[in-house]
Amino acid sequence: MSTLVLAFRRRVAWLAWASDYVELTKPKISVMILVTVAMAAYVAGAGRPDLWLLMHALLGTLLVSASASALNQWLERDSDSRMPRTADRPLPAGRLGGGQVLAFALVTLLAGTTELLLLVGLTATLLALATWLLYAWVYTPLKSRTWLNTAVGAVA
């Protein structure tokens, strides 16, 4: 097999692996969260926010959100494997292991809260942690128990 073919296969495999990690972050939800943060920064600053501060707020929030989404998928891996809509997610499909997903959730949580604490402030960090806890440890378990999970998820 030629060197070019091997290089191409490695690149394709790397892109598939990276795509699985991006899927763990639930990008559509993350974008909605980041728009909300940007709009809140605009309103709170009575106009154009400090772009440096906003950049760090968005990055920290993105990382915490990624952590919550990954943990959500880890907690729901068994039910996800039984539903056609979610069976092809990286964890139930076997493309990523439980340990990999938990490590990703931990690393992104630590990186996001560190970013927020050091470069944005304590209040933003505490709000991000509260939202993470609410989404991962309240909303996710309620999904299989009551319709009230929607209200909890909306708050998060």
Side-chain angles (χ1 to χ4, degrees), residues 3-149:
T3 305
L4 185 60
V5 171
L6 288 174
F8 178 75
R9 284 187 177 176
R10 277 191 221 111
R11 180 164 294 193
V12 169
W14 184 88
L15 289 173
W17 174 82
S19 175
D20 285 336
Y21 277 95
V22 169
E23 188 176 345
L24 284 180
T25 71
K26 297 184 180 179
K28 291 177 186 176
I29 293 173
S30 294
V31 167
M32 289 189 296
I33 292 167
L34 295 179
V35 168
T36 303
V37 169
M39 293 286 85
Y42 182 81
V43 170
R48 187 172 177 201
D50 175 331
L51 292 180
W52 185 252
L53 184 64
L54 178 59
M55 179 188 71
H56 290 293
L58 291 172
L59 178 58
T61 301
L62 177 63
L63 290 166
V64 173
S65 171
S67 173
S69 293
L71 187 57
N72 168 272
Q73 290 186 52
W74 183 81
L75 290 167
E76 293 186 323
R77 64 194 179 279
D78 291 334
S79 61
D80 280 353
S81 68
R82 294 188 301 271
M83 295 187 333
R85 181 180 64 84
T86 56
D88 195 43
R89 286 181 174 170
L91 197 51
R95 295 190 307 273
L96 292 176
Q100 291 171 296
V101 173
L102 281 176
F104 178 79
L106 180 61
V107 167
T108 52
L109 178 63
L110 291 173
T113 54
T114 300
E115 176 86 9
L116 291 170
L117 184 60
L118 296 178
L119 299 167
V120 180
L122 180 61
T123 302
T125 307
L126 293 175
L127 288 170
L129 279 171
T131 302
W132 180 87
L133 286 167
L134 189 61
Y135 184 79
W137 298 107
V138 179
Y139 164 75
T140 298
L142 285 178
K143 283 173 69 175
S144 61
R145 292 177 176 85
T146 177
W147 58 270
L148 292 172
N149 72 315

